[in-house]
Amino acid sequence: MTTAAPSHWPGEILAAFKAQDVRLVPYVPDNVLRPLIAAIEADPHFTAFPCAREEEAIGIAAGAVMSGMRAACLMQTSGFATLPNALASLVCAFQLPVVMVVSERGTLGEFNPGQAIVCRTMRPILDSMGIEHHTLTRLDECGFQADRALRQAFATRWPACLILSPLLTARPQ
Amino acid sequence: MTRPNTQVMNRAALTKRILGKLHKREAVVGGIGNSNWDLWAAAPSRPENFYMLGSMGLAAPIALGVALAQPERRVLALEGDGSLLMQLGCLSTIAAQAPRNLIIVVWDNAIYQITGGQPTPAAQSGTDWVAIARASGIAKSHWAADEAEFDTLIETALTTDGPHLIAARIDSEPGRHQTDRDPVRFAQAFTRAMALPIG
Ligand SMILES: Cc1ncc(C[n+]2csc(CCOP(=O)(O)OP(=O)(O)O)c2C)c(N)n1
C-alpha cells in the first residue's frame, strides 16, 4: 500500500471545489482519497456521502447539477472503469457538467496486475468521449488545474475528470 | 416474504394517475424505456419530467440528486423492476441520506419487457421489492394492492415525510409512446424547470 505523503493537496482540491461552488460530493472510498474525504466531510460547506457504486454517484451528480447544486464524484481508477455506459448515455448525451476526481492506481509502483491493466483503460475511455481530463502531478499546480478545469466544465456544460497522480499524492513534496 | 398477490395494474394508467396529482412542479425522473415512454405519453411537454436514455438503473440515483439539491421539491423516480435490480445498492444510499422529499415507484412486470419479455431473476426467485427496500432502511415502503390504494399511497407520499417506495405489479404492455430522442433539450428544459420555485 502507498501511504499519502504529508502534503496539502487535499486542501488545494477542497479550495477549488469551494471556489467553483461544488457542494455535493458522492464518493466510493479509496485509501489515497482518505484525507480529501475527511477534509470534505469535516467542512459544513459540503454534503458528502458514500455510494454503493460509482454509477450511482454519477446519477446523483447529474440530478443535482440539473437542479442547481454542483457536484463532484470521488473514486479510484477501478471505480472509474465501471462508468463508460453512464458517462456516454447520461453525462455526455445530456451534456451535463459532472466532475470526477479519480485517484490513480495502477501506475508508478503498482503491485496489483489487475489495477495496472485497468489504469491503462482510463484515458482512452475519457478521450473516446471527448471528456477533458487533467493529470494532477504537482502541489504547486494542482489547485490552479482543479479550479480552471471545474470552471470550464460548468461554463461549457461538459464533464471533466481530474486524475490524482501518485506524483501528487505519494511523492514526498 | 414473496411478491404479494396484489392486483395486476397498468403502467400507463398508473402514470396518468400520478401526473394528475402533481400541482407543485414536482420533478419526475422516468427510468429506461417503458417507464419514461409512459411518462411521455402522460405529459410529454411537462418540463419537470426527465426522460433518461440508456443509463439503466439510474432513475432513482438521479432523483436522489434532485432531492438533495432541492429539499422543498417533491421528486419521484419511476423505475422498472429489472432496472432497480441492476442498481439495488442505491436503496441503501437513499435510506442513509433519508431525503424526506423522495418517492420511488417500482413497476413490477416481472420481465425485461422492452428487450423481449425475458423473466428477471428477481421474478424467478420471488424477490419482494418492498421487503428489500424496508430491509435496506426505507421503512415507508408499500405494495399497492389496487388502483385505489395506489392513489392513496401516492397522495400520502406527496404530503408526508419520506423517503417513500411504492411497488405496483403491472401487466406486460409496452410503453405507449416513445419519447423524442433529444437529450440535450430534455436536460435544458428540466434544468430551467428546476430553477423555478415550486408551485
Ligand atoms: C447497463 C445496461 N444493460 C442492459 C441494457 C439493455 N436493456 C435496456 S432496457 C432493459 C430492460 C429493462 O427492464 P425493466 O427495467 O424491468 O423495464 P421493462 O422493460 O420491463 O419495462 C435492458 C436489459 C441497458 N440499456 N443498459
Side-chain angles (χ1 to χ4, degrees), chain A residues 20-35:
Chain A
Q20 297 305 322
D21 200 29
V22 167
R23 288 182 182 273
L24 192 66
V25 185
Y27 65 85
V28 178
D30 168 59
N31 199 40
V32 172
L33 291 170
R34 201 165 46 161

Side-chain angles (χ1 to χ4, degrees), chain A residues 67-88:
Chain A
S67 310
M69 184 183 255
R70 293 177 172 183
C73 308
L74 312 186
M75 68 196 81
Q76 179 190 97
T77 327
S78 44
F80 175 84
T82 68
L83 289 180
N85 182 56
L87 293 178

Side-chain angles (χ1 to χ4, degrees), chain B residues 11 32 34 54 56 80-83 86 109 111-115:
Chain B
R11 182 183 46 242
I32 192 167
N34 292 319
M56 183 168 167
D81 51 352
S83 295
M86 188 172 273
N109 58 7
I111 52 175
Y112 300 107
Q113 196 284 331
I114 208 165
T115 52

Side-chain angles (χ1 to χ4, degrees), chain A residues 24 47 49-53 55-56 59-60 62-69 85-86 89-90 93-96 157, chain B residues 50-56 58 61-62 64-66 68-70 87 89-90 93 97 183-184 186-187 190-191 194:
Chain A
L24 192 66
T47 301
F49 56 88
C51 300
R53 194 168 165 78
E55 278 190 307
E56 244 188 270
I60 292 164
V65 79
M66 287 190 288
S67 310
M69 184 183 255
N85 182 56
S89 61
L90 181 63
F94 288 87
Q95 293 185 13
L96 302 175
R157 300 196 58 77
Chain B
F50 183 73
Y51 306 100
M52 209 190 72
L53 280 176
S55 50
M56 183 168 167
L58 291 190
I62 293 167
L64 173 60
V66 180
L68 291 172
Q70 299 203 4
Q87 207 66 244
C90 79
T93 309
Q97 294 311 308
V184 176
F186 290 156
F190 184 78
T191 301
M194 290 303 103

